[in-house]
Amino acid sequence: MKLADVSSGPDWIIWVIFVIFLMISIILLSGHGSWFISGYNAAPKKEKAKYDEKKLCRTTGLGMAVIVFLILVMGLLEDVLPASFIYISLGIVCVDCLVIIIAGNTICKKK
């Protein structure tokens, strides 16, 4: 069974999500867009002062880029990939989120 066999929605939805996530990733990778980082944008100024905003944005943007790449692969290769690739990509996204959280709380803090 292929990935295309289990997808039930129209194909254009995956491409809209891809473009939105790609734009968010580019904004974050440029060091801007800290308002996309929910825990950071809701923090008080005293807490925000503990973090390097550019590093935090770039770290989150890199994590988003991994997700964007997975969406691209699934969109382009849905007729080739097995349906079990969903579980593989879900595992990659979970590990990616964990890495973003750990990196955000370690290497993105000001010394």
Side-chain angles (χ1 to χ4, degrees):
M1 184 178 280
K2 301 294 179 198
L3 188 58
D5 298 335
V6 295
S7 65
S8 58
D11 288 343
W12 64 267
I13 292 176
I14 195 77
W15 297 113
V16 169
I17 292 171
F18 170 75
V19 169
I20 291 170
F21 278 25
L22 180 66
M23 289 188 310
I24 292 171
S25 180
I26 290 170
I27 291 169
L28 287 168
L29 282 170
S30 70
H32 301 88
S34 63
W35 63 88
F36 287 123
I37 306 170
S38 63
Y40 182 74
N41 74 1
K45 290 186 184 218
K46 185 179 178 183
E47 188 68 27
K48 284 183 180 181
K50 296 178 183 178
Y51 292 90
D52 183 351
E53 187 174 313
K54 273 202 183 297
K55 262 189 194 176
L56 188 61
C57 286
R58 289 184 179 146
T59 302
T60 307
L62 187 61
M64 279 292 295
V66 171
I67 296 169
V68 167
F69 179 73
L70 278 173
I71 293 172
L72 178 65
V73 167
M74 286 190 288
L76 291 175
L77 302 175
E78 71 177 341
D79 294 326
V80 178
L81 293 171
S84 60
F85 187 75
I86 291 291
Y87 300 116
I88 295 167
S89 61
L90 180 64
I92 292 170
V93 168
C94 288
V95 169
D96 185 43
C97 289
L98 198 63
V99 169
I100 292 170
I101 292 169
I102 292 170
N105 287 312
T106 55
I107 64 172
C108 296
K109 283 200 174 188
K110 289 182 180 175
K111 295 178 181 175

